[in-house]
Amino acid sequence: MLLGEQEQFLSYNGEVLIFQLSKPKHVEGTADKTMNLCVRRMAFNRDTKLFVQKSSGVFSMRASHLKIEMICCSCTMDSRTGIILPCVLMKKKKRNNVVKYLLLLLHSSNHFEQSFHFKLDYELKEDIRLFTGPSVLWRHANKLFYISCDTCTVLSAPVQLSSVVWTGEIRDEGTVVLGIRTACLPESEDEDEFSTSDRAIWGSEFFGYAIETQKMLTGTYFMPHAYSRVVSSVYVCKNEILKKQLQIALVAITHKNQLIWFQDGLPKGVCELPYEKPCSVKTAVTSSNDLLFIVSFASGNICVVQRRDSLQVTSKWQKVKSVLVDDFIGSGSEQLLLLFKDDSNTDVLSTFKITDLGEVDYASGINYKHDVPAAEELQENGLLTVQALETRLQAGCTSVRELQQHLQLKKRVILESCRALIDLVEERTHILPTAKEVKCRGDYRSLLNSAEPFSLVSLWDDVENPPRSLSKETSLASKVPEHFIEKLWQRVVGDSLVVGIKLTESFYLSLSDVSLSLVMDQDFSSVSPIIECRNKIIKLNKAASALAVSSCQIEPPPKKMKLDLHSKNDPKRYSRVQLDGAKTVIAVTSLSPLLAFHHVCCIVLLHAKKQKRRNDSLQESKKITVFCGKILLSLEDISNGKHSVKMLRDNSYCTGSMEDILAVLAVSFRFSFQIVSSDCTLTPVNSWLLGEMECIPFKECHDNVFCHKAGNVYGTVFNWTLKNPFEGVLTLFCRSLTVLFQCLHSLTRVLPPSCDVKLLKSGSKGVLTERLALVLEKEMLTLRSSFFSKESKAENSLTWGKEPGKKISDAPVASLLDSEEGVWQFRKKLQNEQEESVLSMNQTMNGALYQEIALKIAEAQLSSDMIVWRMS
């Protein structure tokens, strides 16, 4: 944007706007003359690699006795609409030395709108800026003036200044002018000592002036005052408010042919410019997210400075008429458009170059064969770019090495922790490696080839005996019975790996809070050996419809204390349906991350709380971790279908094994619906399952049916239980909510209109009622057993006033009263019974016994509260 030229260029939304002022022309039939301001919108065509005209517009002005010029053009925001529009400042100079200025806005329809005009008795020559409003700002006689479309009146700022180096928006301050003025030394002693001496030495200072609020900003927010004698232009790249402090990042060019990067008022980098007299600087962000500084020189030369680890000149060009920054090719990032001077061609866009110093490089009209200086510049630019890329590559390699060291350290800590865990569950004593051993291991396995490998220091002292806590866990794990697992199996269902452990009934009833975890048995440098998985506990009756899938239940809102609910008197034990004597714990994890290793060996660990019992009373639980075995998983086995679920038709049954059924249920979502019909039976539900849904009952559990219908619903498991001919519960195990909605949509078409379908929170109301009765019975038995336990302990601590081993005669009362000695014995016996009665009514209890009884009662009450909440 050069002042006073009759042809100017502006970039706007990826287009190039060419403003041209025509010569005065006579109007037919009159003595008046007119001048036309023409605009052409040019867009780059990536196919032809040329700029083509999209549209044009004209603004006519009377030119009789006037001298009309274009002063400058820019893109500013229209405060009426908030839209950024191109604007042009025009000058009309009359014979009586009165100068009239017009500010024109260009709309998308190529219509020019006169925003405002003003008259002055002097010409604008110094520091002319266009900014939001639109508004015009200039400097004259070391004073700052501005006018906007809102006021249409020339205003003067109460500041004296020698130059304006930047005008723009600052957060929370509005439009701010950064200028340089003669230093004003304060009379008070409150001013910063360094800032005062700085201004006194250099004789000038920076200052900021907010136009809207008429507020002065401290110049040291931008740069030290020492640079005020050399800075000619500034571009603010970033400004924000952090902790009520204004933080600014900017780049400045100086009269000393330097480009300096400032951050928070301090210089952070400097670069020597290749040409003299730099006049302006602007920025561009390329597709590789590089920040480029484009510096224009008075001689028509251009250079680009790139900021990475340091400021470096990466490219430069000569004989440049104008340089624009925008997204000209529509790639979503900015590019540079260089318009070169070419006297042999009248078309201003005949010789140009579009580049981002990376992948984008379009050029036209440059004859490299006959233009030797251009070829030399191209070679020099290539050398500068290579040097900058080498510096960037070295910095990137350093960052990668530091990151690898950090990841290597994390990996060693995790692997050593996993070895300790495996040794613990396999009842081996884990010996922590010494610093020397870890260092040797690091030298052998290090991926960095560093000359000074770091060593992993043990978090514990290097002693021979393992920590006491590990010894306790090992001793507890050793008390686990040998044959507590009936079967360890694995299945692949879709993108999930299902691992199950079938526990014996006697062992499972002694546990609570049971879960599984999977740990990879290999050393992988890039991943953690711990496999994330979710757990489910499934009881499945082989003979009838006893199906219970338990996962993490939501606790009622009033309850804050978490207790072990799996005890020997679990209500599920007293279910009327006879179970198969075992319970399966299942872990489900994502399969695809494991397939990246082609062959994986995983250790299966069982975590639980083991409970000790004495006289049918619950004692304190202890956490145990048990090694259950290993599973092998390979991509070849999965491709051959070795672990796949097989659900085949065999006459009128589905031949899926118990493990196949459990795997399907484990990866499915469970929904239960209560269906009630007031005027007809629910026979259509069973017909719908066997007919339209093509369901076949499992051979292992007949009341659960498997859907063989083609489509999304294939693989859905149904359980239909009739309470009476007019009421039943339908339970679905489906892969997703989409499948659920498809099944319900199909079901509603066969149900009578009077049917009421209700989603149940957890099973049918009848099952919950039965469970509530069993839990209340357990609560009553707990209270009674706690009371008798207290009585028995009290009886053992009492002395009944008789000698040990001496037994009172049980002779009839009549025989005792026959003699005086008998009467005496009867009286003594009666006194003893009275003493026993008094003592039994005034018993005390120690704290441990009371705590044990309170815990058991709270467990029983929490179970009943949980079921009541689920029924509500």
Side-chain angles (χ1 to χ4, degrees):
M1 183 182 69
L2 301 178
L3 301 182
E5 290 196 4
Q6 301 307 297
E7 184 178 66
Q8 296 198 19
F9 307 92
L10 186 65
S11 62
Y12 179 70
N13 289 342
E15 299 176 345
V16 178
L17 304 183
I18 304 176
F19 296 97
Q20 291 176 321
L21 195 60
S22 64
K23 294 181 179 181
K25 296 181 180 180
H26 288 279
V27 179
E28 296 181 1
T30 64
D32 294 337
K33 295 181 180 180
T34 61
M35 292 189 69
N36 293 331
L37 175 62
C38 303
V39 60
R40 291 190 296 159
R41 294 180 183 266
M42 310 293 290
F44 183 71
N45 189 318
R46 299 184 67 174
D47 296 331
T48 61
K49 296 180 176 57
L50 297 173
F51 279 93
V52 295
Q53 181 174 320
K54 293 182 60 178
S55 59
S56 63
V58 178
F59 181 75
S60 299
M61 295 169 286
R62 293 180 59 185
S64 300
H65 311 294
L66 296 177
K67 183 179 180 181
I68 300 178
E69 296 179 7
M70 268 193 302
I71 303 300
C72 60
C73 61
S74 181
C75 293
T76 61
M77 185 177 71
D78 187 354
S79 58
R80 300 169 301 177
T81 61
I83 301 175
I84 297 177
L85 295 175
C87 59
V88 182
L89 181 62
M90 305 294 299
K91 180 181 73 172
K92 293 183 178 181
K93 187 176 180 180
K94 299 183 179 180
R95 291 180 178 179
N96 55 1
N97 293 328
V98 175
V99 185
K100 182 179 179 180
Y101 291 91
L102 300 176
L103 188 65
L104 304 178
L105 287 176
L106 178 63
H107 294 276
S108 58
S109 60
N110 292 327
H111 168 70
F112 284 94
E113 176 192 358
Q114 181 176 319
S115 179
F116 60 87
H117 68 274
F118 59 96
K119 295 181 180 180
L120 299 173
D121 57 358
Y122 58 88
E123 295 186 32
L124 302 183
K125 294 182 179 181
E126 300 176 317
D127 296 331
I128 305 172
R129 308 294 173 97
L130 305 180
F131 60 94
T132 300
S135 305
V136 183
L137 177 144
W138 68 92
R139 180 176 60 88
H140 178 71
N142 289 336
K143 292 184 179 180
L144 186 66
F145 300 92
Y146 58 92
I147 183 174
S148 67
C149 61
D150 297 328
T151 61
C152 294
T153 303
V154 177
L155 302 176
S156 175
V159 293
Q160 294 282 335
L161 74 166
S162 58
S163 66
V164 175
V165 295
W166 177 78
T167 303
E169 298 288 327
I170 294 291
R171 186 173 181 180
D172 297 339
E173 299 294 346
T175 302
V176 174
V177 178
L178 177 61
I180 301 174
R181 65 182 179 184
T182 303
C184 302
L185 300 180
E187 298 179 359
S188 63
E189 297 180 357
D190 297 335
E191 190 73 17
D192 184 8
E193 179 181 355
F194 295 101
S195 178
T196 302
S197 62
D198 199 16
R199 288 181 291 177
I201 293 173
W202 296 101
S204 61
E205 64 176 355
F206 290 107
F207 74 96
Y209 178 73
I211 293 179
E212 285 87 350
T213 61
Q214 298 183 359
K215 175 183 175 183
M216 298 296 295
L217 302 179
T218 304
T220 52
Y221 285 152
F222 299 87
M223 290 173 287
H225 293 304
Y227 291 88
S228 59
R229 298 294 295 269
V230 295
V231 170
S232 60
S233 181
V234 168
Y235 187 90
V236 175
C237 303
K238 181 180 179 182
N239 66 88
E240 59 184 355
I241 304 294
L242 291 179
K243 298 181 180 180
K244 299 182 180 180
Q245 291 290 330
L246 178 61
Q247 297 188 354
I248 296 177
L250 59 88
V251 63
I253 56 176
T254 71
H255 300 299
K256 302 293 185 180
N257 304 327
Q258 292 177 324
L259 184 140
I260 309 175
W261 172 260
F262 293 92
Q263 197 162 355
D264 299 333
L266 298 175
K268 298 296 183 180
V270 63
C271 176
E272 294 292 333
L273 298 177
Y275 305 112
E276 295 182 353
K277 297 181 181 180
C279 56
S280 66
V281 59
K282 62 179 69 175
T283 64
V285 180
T286 65
S287 58
S288 57
N289 206 26
D290 290 332
L291 179 61
L292 305 180
F293 302 113
I294 302 100
V295 183
S296 301
F297 297 85
S299 59
N301 299 330
I302 301 291
C303 79
V304 176
V305 179
Q306 208 160 357
R307 178 179 175 264
R308 293 191 178 104
D309 296 328
S310 61
L311 296 173
Q312 294 180 342
V313 177
T314 56
S315 294
K316 57 183 180 179
W317 298 271
Q318 295 180 350
K319 298 181 181 181
V320 179
K321 187 173 185 178
S322 180
V323 57
L324 304 176
V325 176
D326 209 324
D327 184 12
F328 299 102
I329 65 173
S331 63
S333 59
E334 295 179 332
Q335 305 96 38
L336 279 68
L337 172 61
L338 301 167
L339 302 178
F340 295 95
K341 297 178 182 179
D342 188 0
D343 298 333
S344 62
N345 199 325
T346 58
D347 188 358
V348 294
L349 290 178
S350 61
T351 308
F352 67 88
K353 183 180 182 67
I354 299 177
T355 181
D356 65 351
L357 304 186
E359 298 179 356
V360 179
D361 190 7
Y362 295 98
S364 176
I366 300 178
N367 190 348
Y368 294 100
K369 294 183 179 179
H370 304 287
D371 193 355
V372 178
E376 293 177 353
E377 289 178 6
L378 183 62
Q379 184 177 3
E380 185 177 0
N381 289 343
L383 180 61
L384 292 173
T385 303
V386 170
Q387 292 175 352
L389 291 175
E390 287 178 350
T391 304
R392 186 178 183 182
L393 182 61
Q394 292 174 359
C397 291
T398 303
S399 301
V400 170
R401 282 196 296 269
E402 293 176 355
L403 182 60
Q404 285 179 336
Q405 290 178 356
H406 183 66
L407 294 178
Q408 190 77 357
L409 179 60
K410 280 187 175 181
K411 172 203 153 186
R412 293 180 183 179
V413 173
I414 293 174
L415 291 179
E416 194 62 39
S417 302
C418 291
R419 292 190 186 98
L421 178 61
I422 294 172
D423 290 342
L424 171 65
V425 299
E426 293 184 353
E427 302 183 18
R428 295 196 305 262
T429 301
H430 180 73
I431 301 176
L432 294 170
T434 62
K436 182 177 180 180
E437 292 175 350
V438 176
K439 182 177 179 181
C440 294
R441 189 184 302 168
D443 290 339
Y444 178 73
R445 300 178 57 193
S446 175
L447 301 176
L448 308 176
N449 297 323
S450 176
E452 297 180 357
F454 57 87
S455 59
L456 179 64
V457 180
S458 172
L459 299 180
W460 299 278
D461 295 332
D462 291 332
V463 295
E464 294 182 359
N465 296 327
R468 182 177 301 177
S469 60
L470 296 181
S471 301
K472 287 184 177 180
E473 293 289 344
T474 305
S475 62
L476 185 59
S478 62
K479 298 180 180 179
V480 176
E482 294 182 1
H483 304 289
F484 64 93
I485 297 177
E486 290 191 5
K487 191 174 185 180
L488 170 64
W489 51 270
Q490 65 191 91
R491 291 292 187 276
V492 173
V493 183
D495 191 36
S496 298
L497 172 65
V498 183
V499 179
I501 294 180
K502 188 175 182 181
L503 303 175
T504 60
E505 182 79 2
S506 59
F507 178 65
Y508 178 79
L509 291 177
S510 65
L511 304 178
S512 62
D513 290 349
V514 184
S515 63
L516 293 181
S517 64
L518 305 177
V519 181
M520 286 193 292
D521 197 23
Q522 294 107 317
D523 292 342
F524 295 108
S525 60
S526 58
V527 296
S528 169
I530 307 298
I531 301 175
E532 181 182 359
C533 55
R534 63 183 187 273
N535 284 267
K536 289 188 177 182
I537 301 174
I538 298 180
K539 268 190 174 183
L540 189 62
N541 181 36
K542 292 184 178 180
S545 61
L547 180 63
V549 179
S550 67
S551 184
C552 297
Q553 298 289 348
I554 302 176
E555 194 173 354
K559 298 297 180 183
K560 300 296 183 184
M561 180 179 180
K562 184 178 180 181
L563 300 174
D564 295 337
L565 302 180
H566 301 277
S567 62
K568 180 178 179 180
N569 296 322
D570 194 318
K572 295 177 184 177
R573 279 193 70 209
Y574 298 94
S575 177
R576 294 177 182 176
V577 182
Q578 182 65 32
L579 301 176
D580 66 341
K583 197 158 190 178
T584 302
V585 184
I586 292 177
V588 182
T589 186
S590 179
L591 177 64
S592 52
L594 300 177
L595 296 181
F597 302 104
H598 298 285
H599 185 85
V600 178
C601 177
C602 295
I603 297 174
V604 183
L605 303 178
L606 175 69
H607 308 277
K609 289 183 179 179
K610 186 170 177 59
Q611 302 166 345
K612 291 184 178 180
R613 303 179 184 278
R614 185 177 60 189
N615 296 330
D616 230 13
S617 62
L618 179 64
Q619 303 295 323
E620 182 182 358
S621 302
K622 292 186 178 180
K623 294 182 179 180
I624 62 171
T625 301
V626 184
F627 173 75
C628 302
K630 298 181 180 181
I631 61 170
L632 297 177
L633 188 68
S634 66
L635 189 58
E636 182 179 358
D637 291 342
I638 295 175
S639 301
N640 296 332
K642 181 179 180 180
H643 306 296
S644 301
V645 173
K646 297 177 177 60
M647 298 292 183
L648 304 177
R649 294 189 182 188
D650 183 11
N651 295 328
S652 58
Y653 290 105
C654 184
T655 60
S657 65
M658 188 64 66
E659 289 76 18
D660 294 336
I661 300 173
L662 294 175
V664 172
L665 298 181
V667 299
S668 302
F669 297 97
R670 180 174 183 256
F671 301 94
S672 295
F673 297 90
Q674 183 183 29
I675 304 176
V676 179
S677 176
S678 58
D679 54 0
C680 59
T681 62
L682 296 176
T683 305
V685 177
N686 196 48
S687 301
W688 171 74
L689 289 173
L690 300 179
E692 182 176 346
M693 301 305 293
E694 302 179 16
C695 294
I696 300 177
F698 288 110
K699 197 170 185 179
E700 298 288 343
C701 45
H702 298 173
D703 284 358
N704 298 284
V705 294
F706 184 84
C707 179
H708 281 275
K709 184 178 180 180
N712 292 335
V713 296
Y714 178 83
T716 306
V717 178
F718 297 89
N719 183 291
W720 171 238
T721 303
L722 273 174
K723 184 177 181 181
N724 55 61
F726 302 94
E727 180 180 355
V729 175
L730 179 65
T731 302
L732 297 87
F733 294 85
C734 50
R735 297 191 308 271
S736 63
L737 290 176
T738 303
V739 176
L740 172 66
F741 293 146
Q742 289 180 347
C743 295
L744 292 179
H745 178 69
S746 176
L747 176 62
T748 52
R749 290 185 298 179
V750 300
L751 288 176
S754 59
C755 279
D756 182 21
V757 181
K758 179 182 178 183
L759 176 65
L760 299 179
K761 287 187 177 180
S762 181
S764 65
K765 190 173 183 180
V767 174
L768 292 177
T769 303
E770 180 183 355
R771 290 184 181 178
L772 179 60
L774 294 173
V775 171
L776 291 176
E777 180 183 359
K778 173 190 173 183
E779 183 177 343
M780 183 182 65
L781 292 175
T782 302
L783 290 170
R784 187 179 67 177
S785 63
S786 300
F787 174 76
F788 283 114
S789 173
K790 170 178 151 316
E791 288 289 338
S792 62
K793 292 183 179 181
E795 290 175 1
N796 294 334
S797 63
L798 293 176
T799 302
W800 298 107
K802 42 184 192 299
E803 298 178 1
K806 186 174 182 180
K807 185 177 181 181
I808 299 177
S809 175
D810 294 332
V813 176
S815 62
L816 292 175
L817 297 177
D818 290 342
S819 60
E820 183 178 352
E821 183 179 356
V823 173
W824 176 255
Q825 290 180 1
F826 180 78
R827 181 182 296 175
K828 190 175 182 180
K829 179 179 180 181
L830 182 60
Q831 291 176 351
N832 289 337
E833 291 178 354
Q834 290 177 348
E835 291 176 0
E836 293 172 5
S837 177
V838 172
L839 290 174
S840 63
M841 296 300 294
N842 295 278
Q843 294 182 25
T844 59
M845 184 184 305
N846 58 31
L849 180 60
Y850 177 78
Q851 185 178 7
E852 178 185 346
I853 294 175
L855 180 62
K856 291 192 294 184
I857 295 175
E859 281 184 348
Q861 292 176 346
L862 184 60
S863 299
S864 59
D865 291 346
M866 178 79 73
I867 296 180
V868 170
W869 171 75
R870 286 160 61 184
M871 292 177 63
S872 61

